[in-house]
Amino acid sequence: MICCEVRDTPIGKVNIGADGENVLWLCFGDAEATEANKITAEAFRQLEEYFAGKRKIFGLPLKLEGTPFQVKVWEALRQIPYGSTISYGELADMAGCPNGARAVGGAMRENRIPVFIPCHRVITSEGKLGGYSGGLDVKRKLLQLEGVSL
């Protein structure tokens, strides 16, 4: 059974969906909650630690559903350390797709589990924020929380 839990956080309402084994999504904004399960409860516990500055690495089971290329990009995103940023081009290199910054951006748009798969840590080569599923204000807040100067 898929459960959906919504809570208020320092970046606004966050909606986390999970089956009995994995986090399936993290969305920004309000949604109709069903009920919590052990996975959504643990995901929110780890998010609270992250927002409190006590967690730098998430230890959650994530279900990555996408093309092999998308999964490769999402796995590369998970390697970007807390408090660091890289460019879309650097991420393309990490994912084994040199000169594939646009393709990487497309894969990032399909990331259903932002924050836990930290696409907020990717910026343009000019040092600008680029895009973000939760909006640029949320991306800015997440980066500032991690101590990144913008």
Side-chain angles (χ1 to χ4, degrees), residues 2-146:
I2 295 176
C3 296
C4 173
E5 186 175 353
V6 178
R7 293 190 192 175
D8 286 314
T9 74
I11 57 171
K13 289 196 181 287
V14 169
N15 166 347
I16 296 177
D19 58 20
E21 298 177 17
N22 298 289
V23 173
L24 303 174
W25 71 77
L26 181 150
C27 300
F28 303 101
D30 210 357
E32 188 169 325
T34 54
E35 61 183 64
N37 66 16
K38 66 181 182 179
I39 302 295
T40 60
E42 178 61 16
F44 275 111
R45 187 186 71 74
Q46 289 189 28
L47 263 185
E48 288 169 11
E49 291 175 352
Y50 171 77
F51 291 131
K54 297 178 181 174
R55 176 172 290 275
K56 296 183 180 186
I57 298 171
F58 294 104
L60 295 165
L62 308 176
K63 188 167 188 176
L64 306 181
E65 294 184 301
T67 67
F69 176 72
Q70 289 169 334
V71 171
K72 195 173 191 180
V73 170
W74 301 334
E75 290 293 350
L77 283 165
R78 294 176 77 185
Q79 304 308 310
I80 305 169
Y82 177 97
S84 300
T85 59
I86 64 171
S87 71
Y88 290 90
E90 290 168 317
L91 180 60
D93 287 342
M94 285 175 64
C97 185
N99 302 316
R102 281 187 188 269
V104 161
M108 289 174 56
R109 277 190 294 281
E110 300 301 319
N111 176 11
R112 293 178 48 131
I113 317 174
V115 183
F116 300 136
I117 299 176
C119 50
H120 62 277
R121 296 180 185 153
V122 180
I123 60 175
T124 70
S125 57
E126 295 84 28
K128 297 184 180 187
L129 289 179
Y132 192 65
S133 62
L136 294 183
D137 286 342
V138 170
K139 184 173 186 171
R140 189 176 292 108
K141 286 178 185 176
L142 291 170
L143 290 172
Q144 288 172 339
L145 173 80
E146 295 185 15

